[in-house]
Amino acid sequence: MKIITIIGARPQFIKAAVISRNINQNHNIQEILLHTGQHYDHNINDIFFDELNIPAPKYNLNIGSDTHGAQTAKMLVGIENILLNEKPDYVLVYGDTNSTLAGALAAVKLHIPVAHVEAGLRSFNRKMPEELNRIITDSISELLFAPTMTAVTQLEKEDRKDATHFTGDVMYDSVLYYKNQILSQKSSSLPFYCPSEYYLATIHRAENTDDPILLKKIFSTLNELEIPVLFPLHPRTKQKIKSYNIIPGSNLIITEPVGYLHLLELILKSQKVITDSGGVQKEAYFLDTPCVTIREETEWIETLDGNHNILCGTDSNRIKQALLISPNLNVNKNCFGDGHAGEKIIQLLTDKLIKNLNVL
Ligand code: UD1
Ligand code: UDP
């Protein structure tokens, strides 16, 4: 049975690593990786393949950056060509990026069934490109792997109950897989100076970075905090601060994006996390580090339990007030599954593939 897995952006490499590891233990499935090339800089691309032992993609479309329409269109053409040649039994897509949408759309038009890992997430903010990508991908996928019961309920509301399976979150599997390795390190291998007390910040969402006034406000708020802010800069944010002439203040320690294991180490050691990233909100939750989210909504509402994660938008006072709150960190993490989402997904996929082949 042949599966083509379509990936292209940083969060998808981490999710795909969990599934590829499980597929390697199941000899009934042949997996082919197709990389769209959406992310291409070493620190947000190759580093993950090396570190997480992800097999080299058989195909890389090298699409690179562009406007939404142009980028997605180029992906569609490239993916369609490969699907026509490879004729897989299933296409597997992850999350909510333009690579997810292009992969699902190219496949479904060729009548190749699609499985969506991380289905059913909603921010209910249709101005986010990710929200549109999720809604469309969920509506055209045959198998929907939901990471939380909130996602299951949402898919039921959208009449997709028959396609939906609660699996837990592969990002939770991943954190559990690497956590002990990081905790047992004798010394840190971070490639830069890390103060003993700091907040870790990651900001990259279009709604925060594409408005110069908002982005300036975020940078000046971080500069006013009482302890240093370590800030691995996403290339989108790097490009924006350059074009808006924002000079980070002296309270900010700006670094290149870090690899996954360093990122988990930085979350574990930080006083608090300040982020607009979906993945980083959850990692802070899984690793018992309080989080302040620079957005007005989150798809991961479970993380808000006990003020573990606090939504602040971009308002400076709200951010500073939220950083003073001591959350209850002893909340139940089972809502993200039991750490075996990867195995469950492979089992469900195998069952479905056998069923589909028997029908033919
Ligand atoms: C994309 C996803 C977003 C996800 C994020 C993860 C979409 C619509 N957005 O956002 O959901 O949270 O990835 O990190 O798919 N750039 C580089 N080098 C690279 C890649 C990008 O310099 O290797 C710069 C380019 O200037 C590019 C900009 O970053 O225009 C944005 O990249 P893009 O892939 O379009 O979106 P992300 O912001 O990375
Ligand atoms: N990440 C990383 N290094 C960084 C920032 C993030 O390894 O410097 C990892 C982290 O595990 C996170 C994942 O990349 O969960 C995806 O994060 P990103 O913020 O890019 O995307 P999102 O989850 O918001 O789609």
Side-chain angles (χ1 to χ4, degrees), residues 9-11 38-41 44 65 68 71 96-98 129-130 204-205 234-236 239:
R10 173 164 73 180
Q38 179 172 349
H39 283 176
Y40 44 88
D41 286 350
I44 63 167
S65 309
H68 285 279
Q71 188 184 53
D96 53 20
T97 73
N98 288 345
E130 293 85 359
H204 77 282
R205 293 266 157 218
H234 188 285
R236 176 187 205 103
Q239 190 232 317

Side-chain angles (χ1 to χ4, degrees), residues 9-12 14-15 39 43-44 47-48 51 96-97 118 130 134 171 175 200-205 231-234 255-264 266-267 275-283 295 300:
R10 173 164 73 180
Q12 293 164 334
I14 300 163
K15 292 163 199 171
H39 283 176
N43 284 350
I44 63 167
I47 194 169
F48 293 92
E51 202 173 46
D96 53 20
T97 73
E118 210 179 79
E130 293 85 359
R134 292 177 197 127
M171 297 287 275
V175 167
L200 175 72
T202 81
I203 303 288
H204 77 282
R205 293 266 157 218
F231 194 161
L233 213 53
H234 188 285
T255 74
E256 290 296 312
V258 295
Y260 181 65
L261 299 182
H262 281 153
L263 194 273
L264 295 186
L266 286 172
I267 294 176
T275 192
D276 62 5
S277 156
V280 175
Q281 283 175 65
K282 284 186 294 171
E283 285 149 357
R295 288 178 57 195
W300 304 102

